[in-house]
Protein backbone atom coordinates (compact mmCIF):
# COMPACT_ATOMS: atom_id res chain seq x y z
CA UNK A 1 0.00 0.00 0.00
CA UNK A 2 1.44 3.37 -0.97
CA UNK A 3 0.83 6.46 1.03
CA UNK A 4 0.00 10.06 0.30
CA UNK A 5 0.09 13.04 2.54
CA UNK A 6 -0.51 16.71 1.94
CA UNK A 7 2.37 18.95 2.72
CA UNK A 8 3.60 21.21 3.90
CA UNK A 9 0.12 22.44 4.77
CA UNK A 10 -1.73 21.67 7.97
CA UNK A 11 -3.37 18.26 8.35
CA UNK A 12 -6.87 19.65 8.07
CA UNK A 13 -6.07 20.47 4.44
CA UNK A 14 -5.58 16.80 3.79
CA UNK A 15 -7.87 15.25 1.23
CA UNK A 16 -8.65 11.62 0.64
CA UNK A 17 -6.50 11.02 -2.43
CA UNK A 18 -9.07 8.62 -3.86
CA UNK A 19 -11.47 11.48 -4.51
CA UNK A 20 -8.71 14.07 -4.88
CA UNK A 21 -10.16 16.82 -6.99
CA UNK A 22 -10.25 15.11 -10.38
CA UNK A 23 -13.62 15.61 -12.02
CA UNK A 24 -13.30 12.28 -13.79
CA UNK A 25 -12.45 10.30 -10.67
CA UNK A 26 -15.30 11.97 -8.77
CA UNK A 27 -17.60 11.02 -11.62
CA UNK A 28 -16.36 7.45 -11.41
CA UNK A 29 -17.34 7.38 -7.72
CA UNK A 30 -20.85 8.62 -8.52
CA UNK A 31 -21.38 6.19 -11.37
CA UNK A 32 -19.81 3.29 -9.57
CA UNK A 33 -22.37 3.56 -6.78
CA UNK A 34 -24.76 1.89 -9.22
CA UNK A 35 -22.40 -1.03 -9.66
CA UNK A 36 -21.14 -3.35 -7.00
CA UNK A 37 -17.89 -4.91 -5.81
CA UNK A 38 -15.82 -6.06 -8.71
CA UNK A 39 -17.60 -3.95 -11.31
CA UNK A 40 -16.96 -0.81 -9.30
CA UNK A 41 -13.26 -1.60 -8.93
CA UNK A 42 -13.01 -2.31 -12.66
CA UNK A 43 -14.66 0.99 -13.49
CA UNK A 44 -12.32 2.92 -11.21
CA UNK A 45 -9.35 1.12 -12.72
CA UNK A 46 -10.58 2.03 -16.21
CA UNK A 47 -10.85 5.71 -15.21
CA UNK A 48 -7.33 5.63 -13.76
CA UNK A 49 -5.96 4.08 -16.93
CA UNK A 50 -7.72 6.76 -18.95
CA UNK A 51 -6.12 9.51 -16.81
CA UNK A 52 -2.68 7.91 -17.18
CA UNK A 53 -3.16 7.62 -20.92
CA UNK A 54 -4.21 11.29 -21.18
CA UNK A 55 -1.20 12.31 -19.06
CA UNK A 56 1.12 10.26 -21.32
CA UNK A 57 -0.28 12.01 -24.42
CA UNK A 58 0.17 15.46 -22.86
CA UNK A 59 3.76 14.72 -21.77
CA UNK A 60 4.64 13.55 -25.30
CA UNK A 61 3.18 16.80 -26.68
CA UNK A 62 5.38 18.75 -24.25
CA UNK A 63 8.48 16.79 -25.35
CA UNK A 64 7.71 17.64 -28.99
CA UNK A 65 8.13 21.36 -28.18
CA UNK A 66 11.93 20.97 -27.90
CA UNK A 67 14.87 19.04 -29.38
CA UNK A 68 18.39 17.90 -28.55
CA UNK A 69 19.80 17.42 -25.02
CA UNK A 70 16.91 19.27 -23.33
CA UNK A 71 14.48 16.75 -24.78
CA UNK A 72 16.47 13.82 -23.38
CA UNK A 73 16.79 15.40 -19.92
CA UNK A 74 13.06 16.13 -19.87
CA UNK A 75 12.23 12.60 -21.00
CA UNK A 76 14.21 11.21 -18.05
CA UNK A 77 12.46 13.65 -15.68
CA UNK A 78 9.08 12.61 -17.05
CA UNK A 79 9.84 8.94 -16.35
CA UNK A 80 10.16 9.78 -12.65
CA UNK A 81 7.07 11.98 -12.77
CA UNK A 82 5.00 9.27 -14.53
CA UNK A 83 5.91 6.79 -11.80
CA UNK A 84 4.88 9.28 -9.09
CA UNK A 85 1.63 10.11 -10.90
CA UNK A 86 0.81 6.40 -11.29
CA UNK A 87 1.29 5.83 -7.56
CA UNK A 88 -0.72 8.95 -6.73
CA UNK A 89 -3.71 7.55 -8.67
CA UNK A 90 -3.40 4.11 -7.02
CA UNK A 91 -3.49 5.40 -3.48
CA UNK A 92 -6.31 4.53 -1.10
CA UNK A 93 -6.96 5.61 2.46
CA UNK A 94 -4.75 7.25 5.11
CA UNK A 95 -1.01 6.79 4.90
CA UNK A 96 -0.55 5.20 8.33
CA UNK A 97 -2.71 3.07 10.58
CA UNK A 98 -2.34 4.74 13.95
CA UNK A 99 -2.69 1.50 15.89
CA UNK A 100 0.33 0.02 14.08
CA UNK A 101 2.66 2.80 15.22
CA UNK A 102 5.20 1.67 17.80
CA UNK A 103 7.97 3.40 19.66
CA UNK A 104 11.33 2.70 18.03
CA UNK A 105 13.36 -0.02 19.81
CA UNK A 106 15.82 1.38 22.38
CA UNK A 107 18.94 0.68 20.31
CA UNK A 108 17.53 2.18 17.09
CA UNK A 109 18.00 5.77 18.32
CA UNK A 110 21.41 6.15 19.91
CA UNK A 111 22.37 9.11 22.13
CA UNK A 112 25.17 11.15 20.54
CA UNK A 113 27.24 11.02 23.75
CA UNK A 114 27.42 7.22 23.55
CA UNK A 115 28.76 7.42 19.99
CA UNK A 116 31.22 10.21 20.87
CA UNK A 117 32.47 8.26 23.91
CA UNK A 118 34.15 5.73 21.61
CA UNK A 119 36.70 8.41 20.71
CA UNK A 120 38.35 8.89 17.35
CA UNK A 121 41.02 6.69 15.75
CA UNK A 122 44.39 8.02 14.59
CA UNK A 123 43.39 7.56 10.96
CA UNK A 124 40.50 10.07 10.86
CA UNK A 125 41.69 11.06 7.38
CA UNK A 126 40.94 7.55 6.04
CA UNK A 127 37.31 7.88 7.11
CA UNK A 128 36.99 11.43 5.77
CA UNK A 129 38.34 10.43 2.38
CA UNK A 130 35.29 8.14 2.03
CA UNK A 131 32.90 11.06 2.57
CA UNK A 132 31.09 13.49 0.26
CA UNK A 133 29.19 16.52 1.63
CA UNK A 134 25.90 17.18 -0.20
CA UNK A 135 23.93 20.38 0.35
CA UNK A 136 20.31 20.76 -0.75
CA UNK A 137 20.49 23.99 -2.72
CA UNK A 138 17.21 24.08 -4.64
CA UNK A 139 15.46 26.86 -2.70
CA UNK A 140 15.01 30.52 -3.49
CA UNK A 141 15.19 33.34 -0.94
CA UNK A 142 11.68 34.58 -1.76
CA UNK A 143 10.25 34.02 1.74
CA UNK A 144 12.88 36.46 3.04
CA UNK A 145 12.25 38.93 0.22
CA UNK A 146 15.42 38.05 -1.72
CA UNK A 147 15.82 37.21 -5.38
CA UNK A 148 17.92 34.24 -6.49
CA UNK A 149 19.19 31.21 -4.54
CA UNK A 150 18.73 31.33 -0.77
CA UNK A 151 22.30 30.07 -0.36
CA UNK A 152 23.59 33.45 -1.62
CA UNK A 153 22.01 35.49 1.22
CA UNK A 154 24.63 37.05 3.55
CA UNK A 155 24.25 35.59 7.01
CA UNK A 156 27.37 36.61 8.94
CA UNK A 157 30.18 39.11 8.27
CA UNK A 158 29.19 39.35 4.58
CA UNK A 159 29.50 35.54 4.30
CA UNK A 160 26.68 33.70 2.54
CA UNK A 161 25.42 30.19 3.41
CA UNK A 162 27.56 28.92 0.51
CA UNK A 163 30.67 30.80 1.67
CA UNK A 164 30.36 29.29 5.15
CA UNK A 165 29.90 25.77 3.73
CA UNK A 166 33.01 26.09 1.51
CA UNK A 167 35.04 27.48 4.45
CA UNK A 168 34.01 24.53 6.68
CA UNK A 169 35.02 21.88 4.16
CA UNK A 170 38.23 23.66 3.18
CA UNK A 171 39.19 23.81 6.89
CA UNK A 172 38.52 20.08 7.18
CA UNK A 173 40.62 19.26 4.10
CA UNK A 174 43.53 21.41 5.28
CA UNK A 175 43.43 20.15 8.88
CA UNK A 176 43.40 16.44 8.00
CA UNK A 177 45.04 16.63 4.55
CA UNK A 178 41.94 15.05 2.94
CA UNK A 179 39.85 15.44 -0.18
CA UNK A 180 36.22 15.83 0.92
CA UNK A 181 34.27 17.19 -2.06
CA UNK A 182 31.16 19.39 -1.91
CA UNK A 183 28.15 18.51 -4.04
CA UNK A 184 25.28 20.96 -4.52
CA UNK A 185 21.87 19.69 -5.55
CA UNK A 186 20.49 22.69 -7.45
CA UNK A 187 17.06 23.17 -8.99
CA UNK A 188 16.28 24.86 -12.29
CA UNK A 189 15.55 27.93 -10.13
CA UNK A 190 19.04 28.11 -8.60
CA UNK A 191 21.42 26.40 -11.04
CA UNK A 192 22.47 29.30 -13.25
CA UNK A 193 23.07 31.83 -10.44
CA UNK A 194 24.90 29.25 -8.30
CA UNK A 195 27.26 28.23 -11.13
CA UNK A 196 28.23 31.87 -11.71
CA UNK A 197 29.16 32.26 -8.03
CA UNK A 198 31.14 28.98 -7.90
CA UNK A 199 33.88 30.54 -10.03
CA UNK A 200 35.04 32.52 -6.99
CA UNK A 201 35.99 29.29 -5.16
CA UNK A 202 38.37 28.04 -7.88
CA UNK A 203 41.43 28.48 -5.66
CA UNK A 204 39.87 27.01 -2.52
CA UNK A 205 40.84 23.53 -1.40
CA UNK A 206 37.44 22.03 -2.15
CA UNK A 207 36.29 20.22 -5.26
CA UNK A 208 32.74 21.37 -6.01
CA UNK A 209 30.28 19.40 -8.16
CA UNK A 210 26.67 20.21 -8.98
CA UNK A 211 23.72 18.29 -10.34
CA UNK A 212 20.13 19.33 -10.90
CA UNK A 213 16.90 18.17 -9.38
CA UNK A 214 14.25 17.00 -11.81
CA UNK A 215 11.76 19.42 -13.34
CA UNK A 216 8.18 18.17 -13.04
CA UNK A 217 4.97 19.63 -14.49
CA UNK A 218 2.43 21.18 -12.13
CA UNK A 219 -0.97 19.63 -12.75
CA UNK A 220 -4.40 21.20 -12.88
CA UNK A 221 -6.32 20.22 -9.75
CA UNK A 222 -9.51 19.48 -11.73
CA UNK A 223 -8.34 17.83 -14.95
CA UNK A 224 -5.16 16.27 -13.48
CA UNK A 225 -3.27 17.28 -16.64
CA UNK A 226 -0.20 19.54 -17.00
CA UNK A 227 -0.88 23.28 -17.00
CA UNK A 228 2.09 24.03 -19.29
CA UNK A 229 1.80 23.80 -23.08
CA UNK A 230 5.56 23.77 -23.77
CA UNK A 231 8.89 23.09 -22.05
CA UNK A 232 9.91 26.75 -21.97
CA UNK A 233 10.92 28.28 -18.64
CA UNK A 234 10.04 31.81 -19.70
CA UNK A 235 6.83 33.83 -19.67
CA UNK A 236 3.62 32.11 -18.60
CA UNK A 237 5.12 28.63 -19.00
CA UNK A 238 7.55 29.21 -16.12
CA UNK A 239 4.72 28.81 -13.61
CA UNK A 240 3.95 25.35 -14.95
CA UNK A 241 7.09 23.69 -13.51
CA UNK A 242 8.45 22.84 -10.06
CA UNK A 243 11.36 20.93 -8.43
CA UNK A 244 9.74 17.88 -6.76
CA UNK A 245 11.10 18.14 -3.21
CA UNK A 246 14.42 16.88 -1.83
CA UNK A 247 13.32 13.22 -2.01
CA UNK A 248 14.23 13.56 -5.68
CA UNK A 249 17.93 13.50 -4.68
CA UNK A 250 18.20 9.73 -5.11
CA UNK A 251 17.01 9.55 -8.73
CA UNK A 252 18.65 12.80 -9.83
CA UNK A 253 22.02 11.96 -8.25
CA UNK A 254 21.94 8.53 -9.89
CA UNK A 255 20.76 9.84 -13.29
CA UNK A 256 23.41 12.59 -13.34
CA UNK A 257 26.24 10.03 -13.44
CA UNK A 258 27.88 11.77 -10.46
CA UNK A 259 26.95 8.93 -8.07
CA UNK A 260 28.94 6.38 -10.12
CA UNK A 261 31.80 8.84 -10.55
CA UNK A 262 32.15 9.31 -6.77
CA UNK A 263 31.90 5.56 -6.07
CA UNK A 264 34.70 5.02 -8.62
CA UNK A 265 36.80 7.51 -6.61
CA UNK A 266 36.39 5.36 -3.47
CA UNK A 267 33.70 7.48 -1.81
CA UNK A 268 31.29 5.49 0.38
CA UNK A 269 28.96 7.90 2.22
CA UNK A 270 27.25 11.21 1.68
CA UNK A 271 26.39 13.64 4.45
CA UNK A 272 23.23 15.44 3.27
CA UNK A 273 21.73 18.55 4.85
CA UNK A 274 19.81 21.73 4.03
CA UNK A 275 22.18 24.53 3.01
CA UNK A 276 20.34 26.90 5.37
CA UNK A 277 21.04 24.72 8.45
CA UNK A 278 24.16 26.38 9.84
CA UNK A 279 24.55 23.65 12.48
CA UNK A 280 25.00 20.89 9.89
CA UNK A 281 28.78 20.56 9.86
CA UNK A 282 30.72 17.32 9.28
CA UNK A 283 30.76 15.45 12.59
CA UNK A 284 33.81 13.18 12.97
CA UNK A 285 32.19 11.00 15.67
CA UNK A 286 29.19 10.12 13.49
CA UNK A 287 31.48 9.55 10.50
CA UNK A 288 33.67 7.19 12.54
CA UNK A 289 30.62 5.30 13.84
CA UNK A 290 29.50 4.71 10.25
CA UNK A 291 32.74 3.30 8.92
CA UNK A 292 33.64 1.29 12.02
CA UNK A 293 30.61 -1.04 11.89
CA UNK A 294 31.35 -4.68 10.97
CA UNK A 295 30.46 -5.46 7.34
CA UNK A 296 27.35 -7.51 8.09
CA UNK A 297 25.94 -4.76 10.32
CA UNK A 298 27.09 -1.82 8.19
CA UNK A 299 24.66 1.03 8.70
CA UNK A 300 23.32 2.39 5.39
CA UNK A 301 21.37 5.38 6.71
CA UNK A 302 21.70 7.61 9.77
CA UNK A 303 19.17 10.31 10.56
CA UNK A 304 20.22 12.96 13.05
CA UNK A 305 17.31 13.74 15.36
CA UNK A 306 17.18 16.13 18.30
CA UNK A 307 14.88 16.75 21.26
CA UNK A 308 11.62 18.54 20.49
CA UNK A 309 10.85 21.87 22.07
CA UNK A 310 7.53 23.72 21.89
CA UNK A 311 8.80 25.34 18.68
CA UNK A 312 9.25 21.97 16.94
CA UNK A 313 5.90 20.28 17.54
CA UNK A 314 5.24 19.96 13.81
CA UNK A 315 8.60 18.34 13.01
CA UNK A 316 8.69 14.81 11.57
CA UNK A 317 9.58 12.05 14.05
CA UNK A 318 10.90 8.48 13.97
CA UNK A 319 8.59 5.55 14.65
CA UNK A 320 8.71 1.79 14.30
CA UNK A 321 6.18 0.69 11.68
CA UNK A 322 5.75 -2.82 10.33
CA UNK A 323 9.19 -3.80 11.61
CA UNK A 324 11.04 -0.84 10.06
CA UNK A 325 12.29 2.50 11.34
CA UNK A 326 10.21 5.11 9.58
CA UNK A 327 9.77 8.90 9.37
CA UNK A 328 6.31 10.12 10.39
CA UNK A 329 5.36 13.62 9.22
CA UNK A 330 2.50 15.66 10.70
CA UNK A 331 0.57 15.60 7.42
CA UNK A 332 0.41 11.79 7.53
CA UNK A 333 -1.28 11.84 10.91
CA UNK A 334 -5.05 11.23 11.06
CA UNK A 335 -6.84 14.38 12.30
CA UNK A 336 -7.96 12.69 15.52
CA UNK A 337 -4.33 12.10 16.54
CA UNK A 338 -2.67 15.41 15.62
CA UNK A 339 -2.54 16.64 19.24
CA UNK A 340 -0.99 13.35 20.27
CA UNK A 341 1.62 13.74 17.51
CA UNK A 342 2.46 17.25 18.73
CA UNK A 343 2.92 16.02 22.30
CA UNK A 344 6.49 16.53 23.45
CA UNK A 345 6.10 13.69 25.96
CA UNK A 346 5.04 10.96 23.49
CA UNK A 347 7.11 11.93 20.44
CA UNK A 348 10.21 13.39 22.02
CA UNK A 349 12.46 13.85 18.99
CA UNK A 350 12.27 15.29 15.48
CA UNK A 351 14.20 14.97 12.21
CA UNK A 352 16.89 17.65 11.59
CA UNK A 353 17.25 16.53 7.94
CA UNK A 354 20.97 15.91 8.56
CA UNK A 355 21.41 12.47 6.95
CA UNK A 356 24.34 10.10 6.40
CA UNK A 357 23.68 7.67 3.55
CA UNK A 358 25.60 4.86 1.83
CA UNK A 359 26.35 5.58 -1.85
CA UNK A 360 26.39 1.87 -2.75
CA UNK A 361 22.96 1.44 -1.13
CA UNK A 362 21.50 4.38 -3.11
CA UNK A 363 22.84 2.79 -6.31
CA UNK A 364 21.37 -0.62 -5.37
CA UNK A 365 17.93 0.77 -4.48
CA UNK A 366 17.77 2.91 -7.63
CA UNK A 367 18.67 -0.04 -9.85
CA UNK A 368 16.12 -2.27 -8.13
CA UNK A 369 13.53 0.55 -8.34
CA UNK A 370 13.00 -0.09 -4.62
CA UNK A 371 12.95 3.51 -3.40
CA UNK A 372 9.36 3.75 -2.21
CA UNK A 373 8.80 7.23 -0.78
CA UNK A 374 5.48 8.56 0.48
CA UNK A 375 3.96 11.09 -1.90
CA UNK A 376 3.46 14.64 -0.65
CA UNK A 377 0.55 16.36 -2.39
CA UNK A 378 1.31 20.07 -2.25
CA UNK A 379 -1.62 22.28 -3.35
CA UNK A 380 -0.72 25.69 -4.84
CA UNK A 381 -2.57 28.59 -6.43
CA UNK A 382 -0.85 30.19 -9.43
CA UNK A 383 -0.74 33.97 -9.90
CA UNK A 384 -3.73 33.81 -12.25
CA UNK A 385 -5.80 32.03 -9.58
CA UNK A 386 -5.54 28.54 -11.10
CA UNK A 387 -5.45 25.71 -8.53
CA UNK A 388 -2.69 23.18 -9.15
CA UNK A 389 -1.06 20.31 -7.29
CA UNK A 390 2.59 19.34 -7.02
CA UNK A 391 3.60 15.75 -6.31
CA UNK A 392 6.71 15.74 -4.11
CA UNK A 393 8.81 13.43 -1.92
CA UNK A 394 11.11 14.00 1.09
CA UNK A 395 14.68 12.71 1.41
CA UNK A 396 14.25 11.40 4.99
CA UNK A 397 11.24 9.25 4.06
CA UNK A 398 13.67 6.78 2.43
CA UNK A 399 14.96 5.65 5.84
CA UNK A 400 12.65 2.60 5.71
CA UNK A 401 14.28 1.39 2.46
CA UNK A 402 17.84 1.09 3.85
CA UNK A 403 19.41 -1.70 5.93
CA UNK A 404 20.41 -1.20 9.58
CA UNK A 405 19.05 2.37 9.59
CA UNK A 406 19.72 4.31 12.77
CA UNK A 407 18.69 7.54 14.47
CA UNK A 408 21.27 9.49 16.46
CA UNK A 409 19.97 11.98 19.03
CA UNK A 410 22.33 14.91 18.51
CA UNK A 411 22.76 18.15 20.47
CA UNK A 412 20.44 20.98 19.48
CA UNK A 413 23.46 22.92 18.19
CA UNK A 414 23.44 20.72 15.07
CA UNK A 415 20.05 22.19 14.13
CA UNK A 416 20.40 25.90 13.41
CA UNK A 417 18.16 26.61 10.42
CA UNK A 418 17.72 30.12 9.03
CA UNK A 419 14.20 30.21 7.61
CA UNK A 420 13.21 33.74 8.66
CA UNK A 421 14.77 37.06 9.64
CA UNK A 422 14.07 36.09 13.28
CA UNK A 423 16.52 33.18 12.77
CA UNK A 424 18.91 35.52 10.95
CA UNK A 425 19.00 37.88 13.94
CA UNK A 426 20.14 35.03 16.19
CA UNK A 427 23.02 33.91 13.93
CA UNK A 428 24.20 37.50 13.26
CA UNK A 429 24.31 38.30 16.98
CA UNK A 430 27.01 37.87 19.64
CA UNK A 431 25.28 34.65 20.75
CA UNK A 432 27.52 32.90 18.21
CA UNK A 433 31.17 33.10 17.34
CA UNK A 434 32.35 32.23 13.82
CA UNK A 435 35.47 30.19 13.16
CA UNK A 436 36.42 28.44 9.90
CA UNK A 437 32.86 28.71 8.62
CA UNK A 438 31.32 27.13 11.75
CA UNK A 439 29.09 28.92 14.26
CA UNK A 440 29.37 27.97 17.92
CA UNK A 441 27.38 29.26 20.87
CA UNK A 442 29.34 31.84 22.84
CA UNK A 443 30.77 30.44 26.12
CA UNK A 444 29.61 33.72 27.72
CA UNK A 445 25.97 32.65 27.39
CA UNK A 446 24.84 31.01 30.63
CA UNK A 447 22.08 28.91 29.04
CA UNK A 448 22.75 26.54 26.13
CA UNK A 449 19.31 27.24 24.61
CA UNK A 450 18.73 30.00 22.05
CA UNK A 451 16.38 32.87 22.88
CA UNK A 452 12.89 32.80 21.38
CA UNK A 453 12.72 35.63 18.82
CA UNK A 454 9.57 36.79 17.00
CA UNK A 455 9.94 39.70 14.59
CA UNK A 456 6.76 41.15 13.07
CA UNK A 457 5.86 41.61 9.40
CA UNK A 458 7.85 44.90 9.14
CA UNK A 459 11.00 42.75 9.46
CA UNK A 460 10.09 39.90 7.07
CA UNK A 461 12.25 41.04 4.15
CA UNK A 462 16.01 41.03 4.66
CA UNK A 463 16.51 44.53 3.20
CA UNK A 464 13.91 46.08 5.52
CA UNK A 465 15.16 44.06 8.51
CA UNK A 466 18.69 45.43 7.96
CA UNK A 467 17.49 49.05 7.89
CA UNK A 468 15.71 48.59 11.24
CA UNK A 469 18.86 47.57 13.15
CA UNK A 470 21.68 50.12 13.12
CA UNK A 471 23.74 47.35 14.65
CA UNK A 472 22.78 43.89 15.92
CA UNK A 473 21.88 44.14 19.65
CA UNK A 474 23.79 42.40 22.46
CA UNK A 475 21.64 39.31 23.08
CA UNK A 476 23.85 37.22 25.38
CA UNK A 477 21.37 37.42 28.27
CA UNK A 478 18.16 37.47 26.21
CA UNK A 479 15.42 34.86 26.79
CA UNK A 480 12.57 36.16 24.66
CA UNK A 481 12.15 38.99 22.16
CA UNK A 482 8.95 40.09 20.40
CA UNK A 483 9.05 43.11 18.09
CA UNK A 484 6.01 44.26 16.14
CA UNK A 485 5.16 47.32 14.05
CA UNK A 486 7.28 50.27 12.92
CA UNK A 487 10.28 49.81 15.23
CA UNK A 488 13.95 50.70 14.78
CA UNK A 489 16.87 49.95 17.12
CA UNK A 490 19.93 52.24 17.37
CA UNK A 491 23.56 51.17 17.75
CA UNK A 492 24.84 49.18 20.73
CA UNK A 493 21.44 48.29 22.18
CA UNK A 494 21.49 45.56 24.84
CA UNK A 495 18.53 43.19 25.36
CA UNK A 496 18.17 41.00 28.48
CA UNK A 497 15.49 38.68 29.86
CA UNK A 498 12.10 39.15 28.17
CA UNK A 499 11.73 42.20 25.93
CA UNK A 500 8.53 43.09 24.08
CA UNK A 501 8.41 46.12 21.76
CA UNK A 502 5.07 46.83 20.10
CA UNK A 503 4.34 49.91 18.00
CA UNK A 504 0.61 50.15 17.36
CA UNK A 505 -0.68 50.92 13.88
CA UNK A 506 0.31 54.46 12.93
CA UNK A 507 2.83 54.72 15.79
CA UNK A 508 6.60 54.45 15.60
CA UNK A 509 9.15 53.37 18.22
CA UNK A 510 12.85 54.23 17.94
CA UNK A 511 15.00 52.55 20.58
CA UNK A 512 17.89 55.02 21.19
CA UNK A 513 21.53 54.02 20.69
CA UNK A 514 23.13 52.54 23.78
CA UNK A 515 19.81 51.58 25.44
CA UNK A 516 19.68 48.62 27.80
CA UNK A 517 16.27 46.92 27.97
CA UNK A 518 15.84 44.22 30.61
CA UNK A 519 12.45 42.56 31.18
CA UNK A 520 10.71 45.52 29.54
CA UNK A 521 7.53 46.04 27.55
CA UNK A 522 7.69 49.09 25.28
CA UNK A 523 4.49 50.06 23.50
CA UNK A 524 2.75 53.05 21.97
CA UNK A 525 4.84 55.77 20.38
CA UNK A 526 8.48 56.59 21.17
CA UNK A 527 10.70 58.83 19.05
CA UNK A 528 13.84 60.46 20.28
CA UNK A 529 14.83 63.26 17.93
CA UNK A 530 18.23 64.91 17.55
CA UNK A 531 18.05 68.72 17.72
Amino acid sequence: MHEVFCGPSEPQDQADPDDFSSASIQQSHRLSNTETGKGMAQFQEMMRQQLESSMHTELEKLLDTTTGPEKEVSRKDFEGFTNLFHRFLQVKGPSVEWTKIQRPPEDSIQPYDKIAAKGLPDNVADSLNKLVVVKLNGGLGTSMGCKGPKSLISVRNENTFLDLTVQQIEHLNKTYNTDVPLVLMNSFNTDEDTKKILQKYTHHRVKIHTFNQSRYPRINKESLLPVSTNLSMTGQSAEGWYPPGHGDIYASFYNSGLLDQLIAQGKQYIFVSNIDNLGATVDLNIMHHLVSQPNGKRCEFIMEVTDKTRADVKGGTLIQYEGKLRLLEIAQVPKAHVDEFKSVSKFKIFNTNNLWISLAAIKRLQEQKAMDLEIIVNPKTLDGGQNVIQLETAVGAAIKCFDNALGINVPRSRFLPVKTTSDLLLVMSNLYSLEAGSLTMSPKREFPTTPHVKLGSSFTKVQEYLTRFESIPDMLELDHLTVSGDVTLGKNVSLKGTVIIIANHGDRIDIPAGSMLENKIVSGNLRIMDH
Side-chain angles (χ1 to χ4, degrees), residues 471-491:
S471 69
I472 302 298
D474 170 357
M475 293 164 52
L476 276 175
E477 295 176 48
L478 181 68
D479 299 322
H480 178 106
L481 173 67
T482 295
V483 185
S484 176
D486 187 359
V487 176
T488 60
L489 289 89
K491 281 188 175 169

Side-chain angles (χ1 to χ4, degrees), residues 459 467-470 485-490 508-512:
F459 292 78
T467 62
R468 291 184 174 279
F469 290 99
E470 273 194 64
D486 187 359
V487 176
T488 60
L489 289 89
R508 175 168 164 180
I509 294 178
D510 293 329
I511 303 296

Side-chain angles (χ1 to χ4, degrees), residues 206-225:
V206 185
K207 286 188 189 131
I208 304 178
H209 308 271
T210 66
F211 69 94
N212 264 16
Q213 272 179 277
S214 306
R215 176 166 79 117
Y216 283 5
R218 284 178 167 150
I219 50 187
N220 182 305
K221 194 175 172 184
E222 295 307 318
S223 68
L224 290 191
L225 293 174

Side-chain angles (χ1 to χ4, degrees), residues 11-275:
Q12 58 263 33
D13 296 336
Q14 198 167 350
D16 178 350
D18 211 38
D19 57 47
F20 198 95
S21 65
S22 156
S24 37
I25 289 188
Q26 286 175 347
Q27 183 189 14
S28 82
H29 284 306
R30 285 195 293 275
L31 290 173
S32 56
N33 285 339
T34 63
E35 306 184 42
T36 53
K38 199 173 173 187
M40 176 171 149
Q42 279 175 343
F43 188 81
Q44 286 182 337
E45 185 53 37
M46 192 173 74
M47 294 303 294
R48 286 196 180 98
Q49 284 174 9
Q50 196 176 318
L51 277 166
E52 287 197 54
S53 170
S54 301
M55 176 61 81
H56 176 75
T57 305
E58 291 301 314
L59 294 178
E60 286 299 320
K61 278 188 201 166
L62 285 169
L63 287 173
D64 286 342
T65 64
T66 191
T67 53
E70 190 190 12
K71 187 167 187 168
E72 283 319 297
V73 170
S74 295
R75 189 177 287 284
K76 205 140 211 174
D77 286 350
F78 287 178
E79 281 172 21
F81 172 77
T82 303
N83 175 40
L84 212 54
F85 185 67
H86 170 77
R87 287 175 46 211
F88 163 69
L89 292 178
Q90 295 294 326
V91 162
K92 272 193 171 30
S95 63
V96 288
E97 286 183 45
W98 197 254
T99 51
K100 284 188 181 178
I101 289 176
Q102 295 174 304
R103 282 178 191 266
E106 280 300 309
D107 60 349
S108 67
I109 300 179
Q110 299 268 348
Y112 176 80
D113 292 349
K114 185 179 170 187
I115 279 162
K118 290 182 185 173
L120 292 171
D122 297 333
N123 60 341
V124 168
D126 291 355
S127 301
L128 279 172
N129 278 325
K130 295 171 183 168
L131 183 68
V132 177
V133 174
V134 180
K135 292 288 182 181
L136 303 171
N137 185 44
L140 293 167
T142 42
S143 63
M144 291 165 79
C146 294
K147 285 182 177 165
K150 186 173 181 185
S151 55
L152 306 184
I153 295 175
S154 285
V155 281
R156 181 81 187 223
N157 305 353
E158 302 299 308
N159 288 297
T160 65
F161 290 105
L162 191 52
D163 291 334
L164 296 176
T165 301
V166 170
Q167 287 168 28
Q168 287 164 21
I169 301 174
E170 182 175 47
H171 178 67
L172 206 59
N173 284 335
K174 283 179 174 173
T175 306
Y176 295 99
N177 193 24
T178 50
D179 180 23
V180 177
L182 169 64
V183 172
L184 299 173
M185 179 168 87
N186 299 336
S187 67
F188 59 80
N189 289 319
T190 61
D191 188 51
E192 200 177 322
D193 289 342
T194 301
K195 280 182 174 163
K196 281 180 196 164
I197 292 289
L198 290 182
Q199 293 168 18
K200 79 173 186 180
Y201 305 118
T202 324
H203 302 295
H204 287 65
R205 190 171 162 176
V206 185
K207 286 188 189 131
I208 304 178
H209 308 271
T210 66
F211 69 94
N212 264 16
Q213 272 179 277
S214 306
R215 176 166 79 117
Y216 283 5
R218 284 178 167 150
I219 50 187
N220 182 305
K221 194 175 172 184
E222 295 307 318
S223 68
L224 290 191
L225 293 174
V227 294
S228 248
T229 52
N230 61 60
L231 283 167
S232 165
M233 283 303 301
T234 54
Q236 277 190 307
S237 280
E239 267 204 319
W241 304 95
Y242 70 98
H246 41 55
D248 181 57
I249 185 173
Y250 304 107
S252 293
F253 199 11
Y254 178 78
N255 290 339
S256 71
L258 188 55
L259 180 74
D260 283 335
Q261 194 183 318
L262 292 165
I263 290 173
Q265 291 170 14
K267 305 298 180 190
Q268 293 183 7
Y269 289 94
I270 52 174
F271 170 49
V272 184
S273 62
N274 298 346
I275 199 152

Side-chain angles (χ1 to χ4, degrees), residues 431 445-447 474-479 495-497 518:
L431 286 164
R445 178 153 173 94
E446 289 182 16
F447 315 103
D474 170 357
M475 293 164 52
L476 276 175
E477 295 176 48
L478 181 68
D479 299 322
L495 305 172
K496 300 181 179 185
E518 182 170 9

